[in-house]
Amino acid sequence: MALPAEQPPAVLPRFCFVVHALSRLHRGIMGVPSARLGLISQWSDGTGPDDAVPVCSFRLEGVAEGVVVGVPMTPQDLLIDQERAVDRMQSAVALAGTVSAVGLGSLCAVVGGRGDELADRLEVPVTNGGAATAWALLENVRAVSRLRNPSSIAVVGARSPVGQAVVRCLIADGHRVRVDHPRAGKGLDVDVCQGAEAAVAGAAVIVGAGPTGGTVPAASVMPGAVVVDVAIPGTLIGKPDPSVMVLAGEAVAFPAHWRKGVWGWLYHVLSGYGPNQVFACLIEPLVLAVSDRVEPFSVGRKLEASDVAAFGVAASKLGFSPRLATGWNAVDSGALVRS
Amino acid sequence: MSYHTNPDAAVWAKVQDAFAAALGLEEDEVQLDAKLIEDLGAESLDFLDIVYRLERAFDIKIPRGGIEGTAQEEAGEYEVDGILTDSGLAALKQLMPEVPADEFVEGMRVTEVPEVFRVATFYNLVCHLMEQKASGDGAAG
């Protein structure tokens, strides 16, 4: 009897996720996981031609594996010279080795035409996280709306690609939607308000869909309202009434077979979401790498409601699920039921 | 800088392209007198994208702070506690002839300056930087 031939180990789809330093101090320590302290120090501007560092790796056991790669440029560095930022991002992707998809985090997803320039330079799809952000935000808003049953939902930052996708999906769900700019309502059956403050006035459920916030004075939000927010910094300026609940709109719980290692755990924590959840945008390249798609879910301003839905189906199949959370902590749905 | 009163067709087409791509608009929705925030719905990150696309299209470098930076240099005392001084307002009026003078009101805050920006503001800036570059005064891409 012939012995079964040895099967070579399966090669898992690989992805990379490109991030940047959050501060000069952070830039100085980005090299720690790869012991590149000499390369990236606080006193170096970290923008030499080859300056890119591996940060950590993640694995969805048996499904996909990926590496987070860092561009040691602060937000200010990225904004001052977007072209150089894209050059560094390209170097970071090269450092990751062979990958099937590239995802962009934070300002990396904004500079260079929201990923368009990097996409033009690479042979693999580049995705800027918009679909994942929109999916997580939408699912979290839907969960809140099932509990709160609002007469209308206010969307702040409705002109953004994420905002537009969310508005369209909420309309399709049968919700009455308020938007904060006439252009955000073009061709849609929505209530158009003149500005963010007008949009949130009296709204029980508010969606912060803009990429950046600081657009709504907290005092404008009525007591008892729920704000589901993806903006960084947050949509509200100042502290709202204590009865207002502000939820992290992009929080996603990961499946049990998500492996993050020590550096990955640290990355989870330092990225702001804590050890038990991830930013949705991190999983977009993973889902893309595993799927049969050659087109990214989102790049540039391109983000269709159908792409959000397709992403959601694929991510859910892999065991990812949006999570109602404030900061690091999950929120019990009971706390959201209006008393 | 009043290049917008007699726009060059080729330059204008590229400016329109850049705005349309950055803001997700049709090109014919981008008009010289359109206000970026009020009319076109631009948000803060859109300004970043607009600048990037214009820099690429024209091989120029748009300095961070751009118009406001120049106004600060010319005004001397530009603002006090975030409110534009008379000299700050005067400098902005001179640098932005495409904006009706009555939009520069006493008590205007620094943070409100982007609200008066038109597409023409960037058109004029692009033309100015291209002229500088052609005369060898920098602003090369």
Side-chain angles (χ1 to χ4, degrees):
Chain A
M1 185 174 74
L3 291 170
E6 262 190 37
Q7 298 296 318
V11 175
L12 295 179
R14 292 188 78 247
F15 69 95
C16 77
F17 187 65
V18 185
V19 299
H20 62 83
L22 302 176
S23 65
R24 282 180 60 89
L25 173 62
H26 186 212
R27 188 177 72 197
I29 62 174
M30 272 184 102
V32 169
S34 57
R36 293 191 182 195
L37 292 174
L39 176 63
I40 309 296
S41 70
Q42 288 190 61
W43 295 275
S44 153
D45 69 2
T47 53
D50 296 321
D51 281 350
V53 284
V55 174
C56 62
S57 59
F58 294 108
R59 202 162 70 252
L60 193 57
E61 205 77 74
V63 176
E65 58 186 29
V67 58
V68 177
V69 283
V71 172
M73 294 171 78
T74 64
Q76 186 71 0
D77 297 331
L78 285 150
L79 296 179
I80 286 172
D81 194 336
Q82 294 188 57
E83 195 71 26
R84 186 156 66 169
V86 179
D87 289 341
R88 299 291 80 71
M89 285 155 59
Q90 190 175 1
S91 294
V93 173
L95 186 67
T98 303
V99 294
S100 309
V102 174
L104 303 176
S106 196
L107 271 182
C108 291
V110 174
V111 298
R114 300 176 205 248
D116 271 342
E117 174 61 23
L118 187 65
D120 282 346
R121 298 187 190 188
L122 298 180
E123 307 264 326
V124 293
V126 174
T127 199
N128 65 17
T133 300
W135 167 69
L137 179 59
L138 188 60
E139 289 302 315
N140 283 327
V141 171
R142 283 169 170 161
V144 169
S145 299
R146 280 191 290 272
L147 296 165
R148 286 295 180 98
N149 198 24
S151 55
S152 68
I153 298 175
V155 180
V156 176
R159 271 280 298 137
S160 67
V162 168
Q164 282 288 285
V166 167
V167 165
R168 282 167 161 77
C169 291
L170 289 175
I171 291 171
D173 286 351
H175 287 289
R176 192 74 208 150
V177 178
R178 290 192 218 171
V179 297
D180 57 346
H181 192 281
R183 291 244 170 227
K186 196 176 164 204
L188 300 173
D189 182 16
V190 296
D191 297 323
V192 176
C193 301
Q194 296 298 330
E197 252 182 277
V200 306
V205 176
I206 297 166
V207 181
T212 58
T215 50
V216 176
S220 306
V221 177
M222 78 171 192
V226 178
V227 181
V228 190
D229 200 2
V230 298
I232 298 174
T235 293
L236 302 188
I237 307 166
K239 286 192 83 143
D241 185 274
S243 64
V244 171
M245 196 178 282
V246 181
L247 302 180
E250 204 178 333
V252 169
F254 41 78
H257 53 304
W258 176 254
R259 301 281 175 260
K260 48 187 183 288
V262 170
W263 296 119
W265 180 91
L266 192 61
Y267 175 78
H268 272 305
V269 168
L270 291 177
S271 66
Y273 267 41
N276 300 314
Q277 56 197 11
V278 294
F279 274 104
C281 54
L282 171 62
I283 66 171
E284 190 161 313
L286 182 156
V287 174
L288 184 59
V290 172
S291 76
D292 293 327
R293 284 175 73 113
V294 294
E295 287 298 313
F297 289 106
S298 52
V299 70
R301 276 197 74 97
K302 181 188 161 299
L303 177 57
E304 306 290 343
S306 56
D307 292 321
V308 175
F311 174 84
V313 167
S316 299
K317 257 195 204 167
L318 293 173
F320 294 101
S321 59
R323 183 178 194 243
L324 288 174
T326 56
W328 289 17
N329 304 312
V331 169
D332 191 301
S333 58
L336 283 158
V337 175
R338 198 203 301 266
S339 58
Chain B
M1 299 190 298
S2 297
Y3 307 92
H4 68 290
T5 53
N6 189 20
D8 177 278
V11 174
W12 171 233
K14 285 163 90 170
V15 169
Q16 260 186 324
D17 262 350
F19 272 84
L23 299 177
L25 300 171
E26 300 297 327
E27 275 148 25
D28 59 8
E29 294 180 280
V30 179
Q31 298 298 322
L32 276 168
D33 61 351
K35 291 169 94 166
L36 264 61
I37 295 174
E38 185 179 317
D39 297 329
L40 303 184
E43 298 173 314
S44 57
L45 291 187
D46 293 324
F47 281 75
L48 201 66
D49 203 4
I50 290 165
V51 164
Y52 179 73
R53 291 179 191 272
L54 289 174
E55 288 182 336
R56 295 271 301 170
F58 294 101
D59 192 26
I60 55 174
K61 195 87 186 93
I62 297 176
R64 289 293 87 82
I67 291 162
E68 290 167 90
T70 305
Q72 281 177 41
E73 283 172 18
E74 295 188 1
E77 193 178 50
Y78 179 68
E79 54 91 9
V80 174
D81 295 332
I83 296 178
L84 292 163
T85 61
D86 288 344
S87 53
L89 287 168
L92 286 172
K93 271 185 213 175
Q94 193 181 11
L95 287 166
M96 292 199 278
E98 69 283 353
V99 177
D102 61 8
E103 288 192 22
F104 294 105
V105 296
E106 191 182 329
M108 187 175 183
R109 305 194 67 84
V110 171
T111 50
E112 292 170 333
V113 173
E115 291 174 22
V116 305
F117 285 173
R118 264 69 169 171
V119 175
T121 306
F122 285 83
Y123 177 86
N124 286 337
L125 182 59
V126 163
C127 290
H128 173 68
L129 290 171
M130 284 171 65
E131 222 173 68
Q132 264 191 344
K133 183 181 165 187
S135 65
D137 285 349

